[in-house]
Amino acid sequence: MLRGFVLALLWLYLRAMDEKIRTVSILGAGNVAMHLAAAFVENTVQVKQVYNRTLTKAQQIGEMYKIRYTDRISELEKADLYVITTSDDAIREMSMHIPFDDCLVVHTSGSVDMKMLQGDFRKGVLYPLQTFTKNRALEYDEIPFFVEAENAEDERLLVEFAQRISNRVRVMNSAERASMHLAAVWVCNFVNHMFYVGEQTAAKVDIPFDYLKPLIKETCDKIVDLSPREAQTGPARRQDFSVLQKHFEMIENSKEQELYKLISDSIIKNYQ
Amino acid sequence: MLRGFVLALLWLYLRAMDEKIRTVSILGAGNVAMHLAAAFVENTVQVKQVYNRTLTKAQQIGEMYKIRYTDRISELEKADLYVITTSDDAIREMSMHIPFDDCLVVHTSGSVDMKMLQGDFRKGVLYPLQTFTKNRALEYDEIPFFVEAENAEDERLLVEFAQRISNRVRVMNSAERASMHLAAVWVCNFVNHMFYVGEQTAAKVDIPFDYLKPLIKETCDKIVDLSPREAQTGPARRQDFSVLQKHFEMIENSKEQELYKLISDSIIKNYQ
């Protein structure tokens, strides 16, 4: 009797351990979908379908990675995992159209709560921390994936799945994920805007952006070995107020002046 | 008679063309001096001496690149060119100690006017647009050098000299150079501060800076192929005001909030 009970437990345990995500379908066909399809195929994840409202974009990914594609929800087949890659404000509606309950559905957004997913299926998040540009090669195994699920078992499944693609997988709730998305805005979106303002400043004296690229490259390269705090240089770091004042007066646009002052003050504060 | 005159002109012309910078001495022994010494030696420029007030630092460069070094102005020998690499506020005083008149003296600062150089020698500027960190290898031929001189002949000499080191040499007056220095502050110093704020934001949820590095790498890599305007992404670019508001509320520090809002507004403005 006890022996039978132990065997039953063992069988249940082994069955649970055996469970894993085998088939994946991608919903949406933008840059995230394009790159995830590449990452999945590259790591021999079986991608069943790519769905997109406009067929041509789904077709593009489908033909590129030999994945079946459709623009009809009715043609959506059963898969273990559905990955919603649409824009933030389309996630909710997309999730409502998934015609299956016995499956796991995740979105890939940094700033959308898991609860935004609508349906009786199991819910989760798979957030890749990277900026995805069309037709740019990426090393997917280096991209951090932040994973969230409703229960421990799905969490285990998603972590295991993400680890097939990346070496940097972390479990993280929606609130923490929002913080990582904010951090990404600082080091990616805002950094790019600094590039833009620098480009405009150089253009005023007819110097093309190309002349700033070696400096940009070194600025980003040295951060691999040094912390941002160690790597900081410039008039604000030196508290060279005569240069700061001179620069401030050189800037014509008042909003840009305000920006220059605010960032400089923030740097000065860090080194007082 | 005419023949003699023509020959005289020819002789003067050939003599002028023959003039060039043969010997260089470096004044100061900081990171700029260290890297210029490397660039000079690498390109077989004959460096006569390195002078620095504290001998140990001059000695370090001297021994590293087989250059004679001294901490005594009285031991300074005659050279065609003296390159002042000291900090901005030390340039004036350093220049006053140069005991020769029949030579060219330049400083390497982006924000100091050429007129700051004090002496009867010929004056100029040799501004390398790069951030110089100790013990980091750089490709000197890619570094833009901005050159200024009091007269056309010295300008020609400096351009010719700078071209021995770099493929990107431009003549530029002090006012234009100040603009390039300002551009450098945006794409280097301010970019690095964005890295810092991003690092701090990630640290709040116990995520190390390493997790942001693949994103930083891609942000800087894609700017090689795309203009900053094309490369811009993120909630401000998308005018996703719900995310912008959410981020704003997540930021605890009010100065940082102000910074987030100002940069976001600036991006929004660009895409309206």
Side-chain angles (χ1 to χ4, degrees):
Chain A
M1 195 290 186
L2 176 66
R3 189 151 152 284
F5 177 69
V6 170
L7 283 171
L9 274 183
L10 184 66
W11 178 81
L12 282 169
Y13 172 78
L14 290 172
R15 191 171 164 289
M17 284 303 97
D18 181 49
E19 258 177 37
K20 68 195 296 271
I21 293 165
R22 290 192 174 73
T23 56
V24 184
S25 282
I26 299 170
L27 309 180
N31 292 343
V32 178
M34 179 84 67
H35 279 278
L36 284 184
F40 291 161
V41 170
E42 195 177 293
N43 294 283
T44 66
V45 172
Q46 193 199 325
V47 186
K48 210 158 193 179
Q49 285 172 299
V50 179
Y51 161 85
N52 195 56
R53 212 175 304 166
T54 45
L55 190 66
T56 50
K57 294 184 73 189
Q59 183 173 13
Q60 195 181 10
I61 296 177
E63 287 172 351
M64 193 179 287
Y65 301 106
K66 313 256 176 305
I67 304 167
R68 282 182 294 122
Y69 54 90
T70 179
D71 60 349
R72 299 221 185 90
I73 282 286
S74 60
E75 290 178 354
L76 207 61
E77 296 165 23
K78 184 73 173 55
D80 297 333
L81 175 67
Y82 296 88
V83 182
I84 298 177
T85 63
T86 60
S87 61
D88 289 4
D89 44 357
I91 289 171
R92 191 172 186 285
E93 210 225 328
M94 180 73 254
S95 69
M96 293 191 299
H97 290 95
I98 294 171
F100 306 103
D101 292 343
D102 175 23
C103 60
L104 184 56
V105 176
V106 299
H107 72 66
T108 54
S109 167
S111 46
V112 173
D113 197 294
M114 179 171 64
K115 296 185 185 65
M116 193 62 79
L117 296 166
Q118 303 295 311
D120 296 332
F121 43 72
R122 287 135 51 217
K123 303 170 182 64
V125 177
L126 187 69
Y127 171 49
L129 189 79
Q130 185 52 283
T131 176
F132 295 104
T133 312
K134 205 176 166 186
N135 305 327
R136 282 190 57 84
L138 288 170
E139 295 187 354
Y140 299 112
D141 60 339
E142 288 180 0
I143 299 176
F145 278 79
F146 296 106
V147 159
E148 181 178 9
E150 289 174 304
N151 60 65
E153 170 60 7
D154 286 335
E155 196 175 276
R156 184 184 70 74
L157 286 173
L158 274 176
V159 166
E160 189 183 82
F161 175 75
Q163 282 172 340
R164 292 176 64 181
I165 297 150
S166 166
N167 306 322
R168 280 184 174 150
V169 179
R170 281 272 200 125
V171 173
M172 188 173 258
N173 65 39
S174 292
E176 293 169 329
R177 188 172 65 255
S179 291
M180 283 314 294
H181 181 241
L182 174 56
V185 166
W186 286 103
V187 304
C188 174
N189 307 148
F190 286 1
V191 159
N192 187 80
H193 188 60
M194 299 297 115
F195 293 157
Y196 174 80
V197 180
E199 177 195 43
Q200 298 304 305
T201 307
K204 289 202 178 84
V205 288
D206 301 318
I207 297 297
F209 187 56
D210 276 356
Y211 277 70
L212 292 169
K213 286 176 181 174
L215 176 57
I216 288 174
K217 185 179 186 305
E218 174 63 7
T219 301
C220 300
D221 285 353
K222 75 180 185 181
I223 216 68
V224 175
D225 310 315
L226 303 170
S227 74
R229 201 187 154 69
E230 296 167 321
Q232 189 63 58
T233 54
R237 163 71 197 261
R238 294 193 305 272
Q239 304 202 19
D240 184 336
F241 294 104
S242 64
V243 169
L244 289 171
Q245 183 57 31
K246 187 179 166 187
H247 281 172
F248 186 82
E249 288 161 5
M250 281 166 57
I251 300 170
E252 291 145 9
N253 175 313
S254 66
K255 278 280 171 202
E256 207 170 290
Q257 273 187 324
E258 204 182 332
L259 198 52
Y260 182 91
K261 191 175 184 324
L262 208 55
I263 300 173
S264 297
D265 289 347
S266 181
I267 295 171
I268 290 167
K269 208 179 92 285
N270 287 346
Y271 294 92
Q272 264 167 351
Chain B
M1 195 293 186
L2 177 66
R3 191 154 150 282
F5 178 70
V6 171
L7 283 173
L9 273 181
L10 184 65
W11 178 81
L12 283 168
Y13 172 79
L14 291 173
R15 192 172 163 287
M17 284 304 98
D18 180 51
E19 259 178 37
K20 64 195 298 273
I21 294 166
R22 289 192 176 72
T23 56
V24 184
S25 282
I26 297 170
L27 310 179
N31 292 341
V32 177
M34 179 84 68
H35 279 278
L36 284 184
F40 291 161
V41 169
E42 196 177 292
N43 294 283
T44 66
V45 171
Q46 193 198 326
V47 185
K48 210 158 194 180
Q49 287 173 299
V50 179
Y51 161 86
N52 194 58
R53 212 177 303 167
T54 46
L55 189 65
T56 50
K57 294 183 72 189
Q59 182 172 15
Q60 196 179 9
I61 296 177
E63 287 172 351
M64 193 179 290
Y65 301 106
K66 313 260 176 301
I67 303 167
R68 283 183 293 121
Y69 54 90
T70 178
D71 61 348
R72 298 223 186 89
I73 282 288
S74 60
E75 289 179 355
L76 207 61
E77 296 166 22
K78 185 72 173 55
D80 297 335
L81 175 67
Y82 295 88
V83 182
I84 299 177
T85 64
T86 60
S87 61
D88 289 5
D89 45 356
I91 290 171
R92 190 173 186 283
E93 209 224 328
M94 180 73 252
S95 68
M96 295 192 297
H97 290 95
I98 295 171
F100 306 103
D101 293 343
D102 175 21
C103 60
L104 185 55
V105 175
V106 299
H107 72 65
T108 54
S109 167
S111 47
V112 174
D113 196 294
M114 178 170 66
K115 296 185 184 67
M116 192 63 79
L117 295 166
Q118 304 295 312
D120 297 332
F121 44 73
R122 287 135 50 217
K123 302 170 183 64
V125 177
L126 188 70
Y127 171 51
L129 188 78
Q130 185 52 284
T131 176
F132 296 104
T133 312
K134 205 176 169 186
N135 304 327
R136 282 190 55 84
L138 288 171
E139 295 186 355
Y140 299 112
D141 59 340
E142 289 180 359
I143 299 175
F145 278 80
F146 296 104
V147 159
E148 181 179 10
E150 289 174 305
N151 60 66
E153 169 60 6
D154 287 334
E155 196 175 276
R156 185 184 68 75
L157 286 174
L158 275 176
V159 167
E160 191 182 80
F161 175 75
Q163 282 171 341
R164 292 176 63 181
I165 297 151
S166 166
N167 306 321
R168 281 183 173 150
V169 179
R170 283 272 199 124
V171 173
M172 189 174 257
N173 65 39
S174 292
E176 293 168 328
R177 188 173 64 253
S179 291
M180 285 312 295
H181 181 241
L182 174 58
V185 167
W186 286 104
V187 304
C188 174
N189 307 148
F190 285 1
V191 159
N192 187 82
H193 189 59
M194 299 297 116
F195 293 157
Y196 174 81
V197 179
E199 177 195 44
Q200 298 304 307
T201 307
K204 288 200 177 85
V205 288
D206 300 319
I207 297 297
F209 186 57
D210 275 357
Y211 276 69
L212 292 169
K213 286 176 181 175
L215 176 57
I216 288 174
K217 185 179 186 307
E218 174 62 7
T219 302
C220 300
D221 285 353
K222 74 181 186 181
I223 215 68
V224 175
D225 310 316
L226 303 170
S227 73
R229 202 185 154 70
E230 296 166 320
Q232 188 65 57
T233 55
R237 163 74 196 259
R238 294 193 305 272
Q239 305 202 20
D240 185 335
F241 294 104
S242 64
V243 169
L244 290 171
Q245 182 58 29
K246 186 179 167 187
H247 281 172
F248 186 81
E249 287 161 6
M250 280 165 59
I251 300 169
E252 289 145 11
N253 175 315
S254 66
K255 278 279 171 203
E256 209 170 289
Q257 274 186 324
E258 204 183 332
L259 198 53
Y260 181 92
K261 190 174 184 323
L262 208 56
I263 301 173
S264 297
D265 290 347
S266 180
I267 294 171
I268 290 167
K269 207 179 92 285
N270 288 344
Y271 294 91
Q272 264 166 355

